[in-house]
Amino acid sequence: MASSVASKRLFQEYRTITNDPPEGITAGPVTEDDIYVWEALIQGPEGTPFEGGIFPAELKFPKDYPLAPPTMRFTCDMWHPNVYPNGMVCISILHAPGDDPNHYEHASERWSPIQSVEKILISVMSMLAEPNDESPANVDAARMWRERRSDYEKMVRDNVRKGLGL
Amino acid sequence: MDSISEVSDPTDWLPTPLPLLAPVDSALRCQVCKDFYETPMITSCSHTFCSLCIRKCLSSDGRCPACREQDQASKLRRNWAIQEVVESFKTARPQVLDVAKRRENEEDGSPVQIKGRKRKWQDVGGEREDAEGARKAARQTRSQSRKATTSAISQDIVILDSEGDDDYDPSGEAEDYPQPGDGLVPCPVCGARMKEEAVWLHIERCDGNPPKKLSEARSITPQISASRHNRPPQPNLIPRLPQLNYSLLKDGALKKKFDDLGIPNWGSRELLIRRHTEWVNLYNSNADSSTPKSNRELLRELDLWERSQGGRAPARDALSKKKDFDGKAWMEGNKSQFDELIREARKKRQVPSKKEGQKEETANDAERSPNMPSALPGQLALSSTKKMPMFAMPSEPIRDGDGIEDSTQ
Ligand SMILES: [Zn+2]
Ligand SMILES: [Zn+2]
Ligand SMILES: [Zn+2]
């Protein structure tokens, strides 16, 4: 083994996701000499206010990946109940069982070494479509989503347009 | 894992005439490292992983990574059957892949069909803007059969780009091969080449096997792995190392253990504990192996682990150092994916859905002046170029041959 387990596995995942990318998702290392930092682009799910948008995010992998999960941060404006104002994504698959701040989450939804970048990004895509109201990372966005849905959707659509430079 | 440069992937089969081997390839891989099983071990819950992978998982949280059942390293058992399957598959794989690829390539160069494999989120009816396709004059046929594959892997494969493609099968069900310009057409089921009139007759009785000599299949001497059956993997007699109860060991006693084991004893207590755990996993998984490595080799792996933890040496692992890594092709592939994604988004955005409200539509309409299409992608591509230097290799001119990116240079 000429390389660490983590980098080897990331390399493998990169290859898989490049050869056969899931619908509306692209991801890969930001630079060719550091496999531990990736950039991903997620297409806004159809039938949601995110539709038509492309949302860039940064994934950072720990040295003991895949034992521990990566972190994921949107690098664009993202108004969503489960995304912190600084862009950090807070969903169960990014938390290892045991260090999950949201105790109600099932262990089966959480990080495990058999998960993958692809599964994370697919989960995040469906998170865009269906926010989890119970564990808001952005309290204001959650309240707006709950109480003033049309304002929330307009805000999201405005961000989509901004992101596309329209 | 004979060498790091050997990075194979189940998706390697998708563009070949044998996409059904992708799930086979995938089933022979450990879900933790995504590589072929190395010294596969079965857990109490009957899940299988590489010895080292499952040992690391268990020492991390004591649970099976697949089902979360609690388990202990001492309960792991070897899975010889999987090991034999994996090794014979790994041996056969390069040859099969080679034959599958050659079947495409040897018939390359025909202008008859230009098709491409694309992700299904691309607009089928849309304008063709595939830069790669434009660059390659004669692109090979890589259409895939959808009906046969049930796994998720195949779901993204669609037959597209029927431009100038007279014998395109509108059902999308046929699997076909490049045209060598011999006036013959392939049977969509078995791939055998014959006169066009003959195909329809043949198809009705085709059982998937080419009727006669299929040249390559015959010319390859099958790898006989019978000898393997005579020598099944033998358990070696290396004893396993016990885990230590670190909380009971004072620093001095801990370091003494390290000296006994012959592993480095420098560093903080926390690092010592992590190093010991790593060593026990490396050592015991080696003891599980039917072809164990020397102690020296294991110490070298411990040292590599040490470096990857960000301790003494740079922790970066350069992709480009991997010998067989076709960096340029990958980067280009990735780049065009990003570009396509952005282009797609832009296209969709220019035709906003009705439900999004009139206000936006009018705003868009006002902006959608004739020069819109060139102005807009420029901005987008620019931001993505800046953020993703990976999409150009150092020795290559950045983003050549693509009009959209040129506007950003
Ligand atoms: Zn493994
Ligand atoms: Zn299990
Ligand atoms: Zn037996």
Side-chain angles (χ1 to χ4, degrees):
Chain A
M1 284 197 288
S3 186
S4 77
V5 172
S7 71
K8 187 167 180 299
R9 152 115 181 209
L10 284 167
F11 191 66
Q12 188 87 45
E13 285 197 64
Y14 178 41
R15 174 130 194 201
T16 309
I17 211 165
T18 306
N19 282 1
D20 192 35
E23 186 174 319
I25 287 172
T26 309
V30 176
T31 68
E32 74 219 41
D33 56 12
D34 187 359
I35 189 94
Y36 292 99
V37 182
W38 285 32
E39 173 140 29
L41 291 182
I42 299 181
Q43 210 172 34
E46 285 173 20
T48 74
F50 294 94
E51 179 172 350
I54 296 287
F55 306 98
E58 183 184 68
L59 289 138
K60 284 190 172 163
F61 299 88
K63 297 290 185 249
D64 61 348
Y65 182 79
L67 292 180
T71 58
M72 179 169 170
R73 190 175 66 82
F74 278 106
T75 54
C76 58
D77 287 329
M78 177 53 75
W79 185 248
H80 189 283
N82 306 116
V83 178
Y84 285 101
N86 68 0
M88 290 296 286
V89 178
C90 181
I91 57 168
S92 51
I93 195 174
L94 290 171
H95 299 293
D99 75 299
D100 192 331
N102 313 308
H103 297 293
Y104 69 93
E105 285 172 339
H106 299 297
S108 59
E109 296 167 352
R110 299 195 202 151
W111 179 256
S112 143
I114 68 166
Q115 304 286 17
S116 61
V117 177
E118 177 171 335
K119 285 182 187 152
I120 290 171
L121 296 177
I122 290 171
S123 297
V124 169
M125 209 179 198
S126 67
M127 173 203 84
L128 293 181
E130 292 170 46
N132 182 342
D133 191 25
E134 290 172 71
S135 58
N138 182 336
V139 180
D140 295 333
R143 190 178 301 128
M144 193 189 260
W145 181 78
R146 226 178 11 247
E147 295 164 8
R148 291 177 291 136
R149 187 65 60 89
S150 59
D151 288 355
Y152 167 83
E153 293 184 348
K154 180 175 184 311
M155 187 113 166
V156 169
R157 280 196 298 264
D158 285 349
N159 282 340
V160 167
R161 250 197 322 278
K162 234 190 311 174
L164 288 172
L166 287 163
Chain B
M1 275 191 292
D2 25 353
S3 135
I4 185 67
S5 57
E6 222 308 279
V7 181
S8 63
D9 193 82
T11 55
D12 293 344
W13 299 100
L14 295 180
T16 74
L18 299 173
L20 289 178
L21 282 182
V24 178
D25 194 303
S26 179
L28 296 176
R29 289 169 186 266
C30 164
Q31 289 197 80
V32 172
C33 63
K34 317 284 183 197
D35 201 350
F36 288 116
Y37 287 115
E38 179 157 303
T39 311
M41 304 294 279
I42 191 157
T43 62
S44 304
C45 46
S46 302
H47 288 109
T48 297
F49 305 94
C50 306
S51 176
L52 186 55
C53 291
I54 185 61
R55 286 178 180 279
K56 284 186 177 192
C57 290
L58 291 177
S59 56
S60 159
D61 71 353
R63 289 172 186 274
C64 166
C67 68
R68 296 257 158 245
E69 286 280 312
Q70 288 195 330
D71 206 356
Q72 292 163 1
S74 59
K75 294 186 178 162
L76 296 171
R77 292 293 176 265
R78 274 169 287 214
N79 193 335
W80 295 131
I82 283 292
Q83 180 161 334
E84 284 204 61
V85 176
V86 166
E87 304 217 320
S88 34
F89 183 76
K90 273 168 75 179
T91 309
R93 191 182 193 276
Q95 203 175 52
V96 182
L97 196 58
D98 188 51
V99 169
K101 282 179 175 165
R102 222 185 319 145
R103 182 154 175 178
E104 281 197 321
N105 291 336
E106 71 185 8
E107 297 168 343
D108 200 5
S110 156
V112 177
Q113 286 183 322
I114 300 176
K115 289 192 198 171
R117 174 176 163 253
K118 292 193 177 181
R119 295 173 296 286
K120 65 184 169 194
W121 45 264
Q122 283 195 286
D123 181 11
V124 177
E127 186 190 351
R128 184 186 164 95
E129 287 186 288
D130 185 350
E132 194 202 333
R135 233 176 298 148
K136 280 184 115 182
R139 188 157 158 176
Q140 328 165 357
T141 302
R142 297 162 121 202
S143 51
Q144 309 286 345
S145 164
R146 297 186 83 184
K147 63 173 174 195
T149 321
T150 51
S151 87
I153 293 175
S154 72
Q155 283 175 9
D156 291 339
I157 303 167
V158 284
I159 296 173
L160 290 176
D161 294 354
S162 53
E163 62 171 28
D165 184 8
D166 291 329
D167 50 4
Y168 173 71
D169 177 3
S171 71
E173 299 276 296
E175 177 166 339
D176 47 12
Y177 302 105
Q179 308 294 301
D182 56 3
L184 302 178
V185 296
C187 165
V189 183
C190 70
R193 304 190 63 79
M194 57 195 77
K195 286 192 176 147
E196 192 171 2
E197 313 86 73
V199 169
W200 302 108
L201 257 178
H202 161 82
I203 262 178
E204 286 173 4
R205 354 169 221 117
C206 180
D207 59 358
N209 296 314
K212 31 178 203 283
K213 34 86 225 224
L214 188 61
S215 50
E216 310 98 329
R218 280 285 161 84
S219 66
I220 300 287
T221 315
Q223 284 265 300
I224 309 293
S225 58
S227 58
R228 206 179 284 286
H229 291 287
N230 300 333
R231 294 183 286 101
Q234 294 298 316
N236 65 54
L237 301 170
I238 304 172
R240 308 296 186 273
L241 290 178
Q243 285 286 352
L244 294 179
N245 189 337
Y246 302 113
S247 60
L248 297 179
L249 287 168
K250 296 223 168 74
D251 285 3
L254 191 59
K255 290 195 174 186
K256 171 83 171 53
K257 289 268 181 206
F258 277 54
D259 292 339
D260 295 346
L261 290 168
I263 59 176
N265 68 2
W266 55 269
S268 66
R269 185 179 174 85
E270 190 262 337
L271 179 61
L272 286 174
I273 291 173
R274 286 201 297 135
R275 184 184 300 135
H276 183 265
T277 305
E278 183 70 15
W279 176 250
V280 170
N281 289 336
L282 281 170
Y283 189 93
N284 287 349
S285 69
N286 188 55
D288 292 333
S289 171
S290 53
T291 52
K293 301 162 190 158
S294 70
N295 214 56
R296 200 149 144 237
E297 178 68 10
L298 284 186
L299 283 168
R300 206 179 62 82
E301 287 184 6
L302 184 67
D303 187 55
L304 278 171
W305 168 83
E306 200 97 55
R307 290 163 196 247
S308 75
Q309 299 305 295
R312 299 181 293 182
R316 289 183 153 203
D317 297 280
L319 286 176
S320 44
K321 281 191 190 133
K322 289 165 183 147
K323 262 190 286 168
D324 290 356
F325 172 51
D326 184 355
K328 188 177 164 234
W330 281 27
M331 299 304 172
E332 276 181 0
N334 222 333
K335 169 181 104 58
S336 69
Q337 277 168 30
F338 272 77
D339 292 345
E340 279 167 18
L341 201 58
I342 285 166
R343 237 179 260 136
E344 265 322 289
R346 174 174 50 86
K347 243 191 277 172
K348 282 196 181 156
R349 206 56 221 186
Q350 287 172 358
V351 191
S353 60
K354 295 274 185 259
K355 61 187 165 215
E356 284 193 10
Q358 296 301 340
K359 244 192 302 177
E360 287 156 47
E361 250 184 279
T362 39
N364 264 339
D365 283 337
E367 277 175 52
R368 216 186 309 142
S369 57
N371 46 15
M372 172 93 168
S374 60
L376 185 58
Q379 294 170 355
L380 285 169
L382 180 62
S383 63
S384 85
T385 306
K386 276 184 180 158
K387 271 183 239 145
M388 282 173 271
M390 64 167 294
F391 297 113
M393 294 297 280
S395 58
E396 290 292 314
I398 296 179
R399 319 194 132 231
D400 54 324
D402 189 324
I404 285 174
E405 277 69 42
D406 287 344
S407 66
T408 72
Q409 295 299 301

